[in-house]
Amino acid sequence: MEPAIAQGLGYLRRRQAADGHFDTFYSPSKKPFRAQAPYQTTFLPSLILQALGRVEGASAVRGGLAKWLLAQHGPAWSFNYWAAGAPERAATTYPDDLDDTFCALGGLYLHDPKLIDAAALGKIVRLLLATESKVGGPYRTWLVGPEAAKHWRDVDVAVNANVAYFLRLAASPLPNLTHYMEQAVQRQRYASPYYPSAYPIMYYLARAYRGPAQPKLAAQILALKTPAGHWGSPLQTALMLSALHELGDTEPQPQAMSYILRAQQADGSWPAEPFWLEVRGTYSGSPELSTALILEALSAEVRAGVPAPASGADAHGDALCASIITQANQAAAALPLALRSLAVPTFRRMVAGDHNREIMLLAHFFAQSLRGPSAPSAGVLQHLGLANLYGWTAYTIYDDILDDGGDVRLLSLANTTLRWSLHEFQLAVPDAAFQGVVARTFTAIDAANAWEMLHCRFGVSGGDVSVGSLPHYGNLGKLAERSLGHALAPLGVLAARGTPPESPPAQLLLRALKHYLIARQLGDDMRDWEPDLRAGQCSFVVAMLLRQLGVQPGVHSLRTLIPAMQAEARRRTLHDVGQQVLQHIALAQANLQKSKLVVDGSPVGRLLDDLHSATNLTLREHAEAKVFLRAYNS
């Protein structure tokens, strides 16, 4: 696939105009696509920029595209279908619209997030408010006034998916927009007056939607596959492959890939196919657009060829990760059909979500970090990695169900993987002292979940929240206990090389890990406090905001409560919580250093450094929010 990608990029470089844009073509017929009259739109260059956003080697093409697109937006940061200066802009006048605007914004953000600064985001939010069909979405397509004709005031699933995709990249999804997309998936509503088939719409939804209907969308995509193993055309096949990767389904599709590779032309391109509909009743696309979208799919396949993003030169880690995934898949394949059908896609999602491989390779990273020799055997590291993967899977399912957002059908799988996790810990280090720690840790996790269910839940109904007594988190130890299973793999590594869990170095390590887990949970609570409250979950940050506002027990309208909490969060709360995160990172670093277990610059130390950098970035973003608000209010 790498030569095909290189040839495709070469074709795009040759076809790109000197100013950075790519021409659009239309065809009077759907099949075959007979390219007519090149013209300039903002839409096709935006789609190409998005498609190339994660294609290695495409930076030069993207740079020219981004520079050209930045010159196309208006003062309100909206985009028109026609390029500035295109003769059609005067002859066939369209208002600016959200489809062109948010495809352009998504492409620019993928290329360089700094291109969409806080001032731009302030204006972009105003565009959304001006086009709301309901508060929080979905949104109308065209930027027109309330007196405009009905056909200019439509609400379209493809357009809203493109809005949601940008929000997923640059901010956070809106619950109403997520619900709107979820309903489209549940009812298989994949029709739009702007697109000739369901394929672009399903592709858009797969990029934008994150929720319980993702497996259903993946199943619908797979059901469209032809008996030959592809989706009927090279472009449609590429769109569906990219969609499956977005949905976490990385199962190889060799027939589809062979079909795409055979269709590549001698010049490195793939033929033009209809992608969207013109109002004049023609079909639009180009060989360059087909090529870019196919390169996106090929690049996703190349990335999926490695079990998880490689750490650089860690060949042992790569091999261990591959072995853990193979073992987990073999265990899933041996289950009875009902459980197997749940386990296989769940493991895929867990592996796809383990971006830095911290779940599967934590024991390996810690072993690499230790001073001196006596690293555990590969077998011990594999058992600890499997135990971590199985335990993480179980508690992720439990957590989702407890939060009322999970699939209860997965409960049996959670029970199975939890048993597997305990078994793998027993195989890894049969030492009685370590097994005692494992048993106490699992009890602590269950107790933390029980405490949260008793003390950290509010009733939510009809836009109101019933605030009860606010929980007291004390020294924040409970924030670590829910994820305390993360500490078992490093303690297992120590026990395997003869350092018992009750020894001073092991206890200092445990303290460091607890502070690290507290810092991580605080970071999550900072990011998710609003959806937590809407779901009736009183996280540490939610409780802190309610206390600072003096909110009394009783029924409160979310419509009035959330803006007050947002203002308080911006004013001081999130800054204060960010400082607490940094304090716990510092305590983790101090305890780790005092233990004298790990070398400087170790992989475990880098986990703390990465969290420290992410927290500082969050604090800078909150400072930039003041710039955003000034632009929004101007």
Side-chain angles (χ1 to χ4, degrees):
M1 288 183 284
E2 287 90 341
I5 293 171
Q7 291 169 24
L9 287 173
Y11 170 80
L12 292 177
R13 285 192 291 268
R14 294 191 300 273
R15 295 290 297 173
Q16 190 170 21
D19 64 1
H21 85 276
F22 287 94
D23 283 333
T24 304
F25 297 87
Y26 75 88
S27 170
S29 62
K30 189 174 182 180
K31 278 189 176 183
F33 189 97
R34 298 196 300 271
Q36 308 283 320
Y39 55 101
Q40 287 191 32
T41 68
T42 64
F43 190 52
L44 182 137
S46 297
L47 291 172
I48 292 177
L49 184 58
Q50 282 189 345
L52 298 179
R54 296 188 181 95
V55 177
E56 189 173 345
S59 57
V61 177
R62 292 201 314 266
L65 269 170
K67 183 178 179 181
W68 183 83
L69 267 178
L70 278 172
Q72 300 296 317
H73 69 77
W77 267 89
S78 61
F79 287 73
N80 197 271
Y81 176 69
W82 302 115
E88 293 86 356
R89 192 159 186 162
T92 311
T93 304
Y94 295 146
D96 289 4
D97 67 276
L98 295 194
D99 213 20
D100 294 298
T101 296
F102 281 89
C103 282
L105 293 173
L108 290 168
Y109 192 90
L110 280 169
H111 174 65
D112 183 357
K114 294 191 293 293
L115 296 176
I116 313 294
D117 60 15
L121 281 172
K123 294 181 178 180
I124 290 161
V125 169
R126 293 185 69 89
L127 294 178
L128 291 176
L129 292 175
T131 55
E132 283 181 331
S133 66
K134 296 178 183 177
V135 175
Y139 300 94
R140 298 187 298 274
T141 301
W142 303 93
L143 287 159
V144 293
E147 73 288 347
K150 185 177 179 180
H151 66 271
W152 293 116
R153 297 174 59 77
D154 71 300
V155 175
D156 183 82
V157 64
V159 175
N160 276 277
N162 284 326
V163 172
Y165 181 52
F166 172 74
L167 293 177
R168 186 170 81 79
L169 292 173
S172 60
L174 296 172
N176 285 4
L177 204 50
T178 299
H179 177 72
Y180 175 75
M181 293 187 292
E182 189 167 296
Q183 290 299 303
V185 174
Q186 297 287 5
R187 298 171 185 174
Q188 299 192 55
R189 261 191 340 233
Y190 303 132
S192 165
Y194 308 112
Y195 295 90
S197 74
Y199 291 99
I201 301 168
M202 297 174 90
Y203 164 77
Y204 289 155
L205 285 167
R207 300 186 311 175
Y209 171 70
R210 292 295 177 268
Q214 283 180 273
K216 186 166 189 174
L217 178 55
Q220 292 168 2
I221 288 170
L222 290 169
L224 291 173
K225 192 164 58 169
T226 69
H230 55 74
W231 281 267
S233 77
L235 178 56
Q236 289 176 179
T237 299
L239 292 175
M240 295 300 92
L241 287 174
S242 293
L244 288 172
H245 279 282
E246 288 284 354
L247 295 167
D249 189 334
T250 56
E251 184 73 23
Q253 300 285 344
Q255 292 171 297
M257 294 310 304
S258 297
Y259 173 71
I260 285 177
L261 294 173
R262 288 197 306 271
Q264 189 172 24
Q265 309 293 297
D267 62 359
S269 71
W270 279 268
E273 295 183 36
F275 191 85
W276 76 93
L277 290 166
E278 287 277 8
V279 174
R280 57 192 168 194
T282 58
Y283 303 90
S284 292
S286 77
E288 294 81 7
L289 176 60
S290 294
T291 300
L293 288 165
I294 289 170
L295 293 182
E296 178 184 30
L298 292 178
S299 295
E301 289 286 322
V302 169
R303 290 195 301 272
V306 179
S311 55
D314 187 4
H316 291 298
D318 295 342
L320 180 61
C321 190
S323 180
I324 290 169
I325 294 170
T326 299
Q327 187 75 21
N329 287 335
Q330 288 174 350
L335 288 169
L337 178 60
L339 271 176
R340 183 168 71 242
S341 64
L342 299 172
V344 172
T346 300
F347 283 149
R348 281 196 205 120
R349 287 194 296 274
M350 294 301 298
V351 170
D354 191 11
H355 299 298
N356 59 3
R357 306 193 291 184
E358 184 182 341
I359 294 171
M360 291 182 287
L361 295 187
L362 183 58
H364 167 72
F365 291 153
F366 185 67
Q368 283 186 319
S369 305
L370 288 172
R371 296 180 185 275
S374 304
S377 67
V380 169
L381 296 178
Q382 177 164 318
H383 285 306
L384 290 172
L386 277 166
N388 225 27
L389 175 61
Y390 292 148
W392 201 260
T393 301
Y395 280 107
T396 298
I397 295 170
Y398 291 144
D399 196 45
D400 289 344
I401 293 172
L402 290 173
D403 292 344
D404 293 328
D407 187 346
V408 295
R409 294 175 301 175
L410 295 174
L411 186 58
S412 296
L413 177 63
N415 295 337
T416 300
T417 53
L418 188 60
R419 289 197 307 271
W420 287 356
S421 178
L422 286 166
H423 182 61
E424 292 295 335
F425 277 126
Q426 290 165 356
L427 293 175
V429 188
D431 172 73
F434 177 69
Q435 290 305 313
V437 170
V438 171
R440 290 192 296 274
T441 299
F442 275 81
T443 300
I445 296 170
D446 292 334
N449 283 324
W451 180 87
E452 182 177 312
M453 290 301 297
L454 285 172
H455 300 288
C456 306
R457 289 293 185 273
F458 297 151
V460 177
S461 176
D464 293 331
V465 58
S466 299
V467 175
S469 299
L470 299 180
H472 292 277
Y473 284 87
N475 64 0
L476 305 186
K478 291 192 181 302
L479 297 183
E481 287 170 3
R482 290 183 60 206
S483 303
L484 203 53
H486 229 43
L488 290 175
L491 291 174
V493 170
L494 288 183
R497 76 167 202 169
T499 305
E502 66 276 10
S503 66
Q507 288 298 304
L508 286 167
L509 171 66
L510 183 57
R511 283 183 215 161
L513 290 169
K514 285 182 177 178
H515 286 297
Y516 168 67
L517 293 170
I518 290 170
R520 277 190 50 166
Q521 187 60 54
L522 284 172
D524 290 345
D525 289 353
M526 286 173 65
R527 184 184 65 247
D528 297 334
W529 71 262
E530 186 174 336
D532 284 345
L533 177 62
R534 290 184 183 276
Q537 300 162 29
C538 187
S539 69
F540 173 79
V541 173
V542 169
M544 187 174 181
L545 283 166
L546 293 173
R547 280 197 177 93
Q548 288 175 337
L549 288 170
V551 175
Q552 297 300 309
V555 177
H556 299 267
S557 168
L558 288 170
R559 179 172 286 190
T560 56
L561 182 59
I562 285 179
M565 294 173 72
Q566 289 170 336
E568 183 66 15
R570 288 191 296 268
R571 191 174 74 86
R572 61 169 173 168
T573 309
L574 296 186
H575 176 269
D576 292 348
V577 176
Q579 294 302 318
Q580 287 183 281
V581 173
L582 295 178
Q583 290 170 10
H584 282 281
I585 294 171
L587 288 169
Q589 291 169 327
N591 278 282
L592 195 60
Q593 187 174 16
K594 191 175 179 181
S595 74
K596 299 181 180 179
L597 287 169
V598 302
V599 297
D600 293 336
S602 66
V604 168
R606 286 198 296 272
L607 291 176
L608 292 167
D609 293 341
D610 290 346
L611 184 57
H612 188 278
S613 299
T615 304
N616 279 326
L617 176 62
T618 300
L619 291 173
R620 285 199 301 273
E621 287 172 347
H622 287 308
E624 289 174 359
K626 295 178 181 178
V627 180
F628 165 89
L629 288 170
R630 282 198 297 270
Y632 172 76
N633 292 320
S634 65

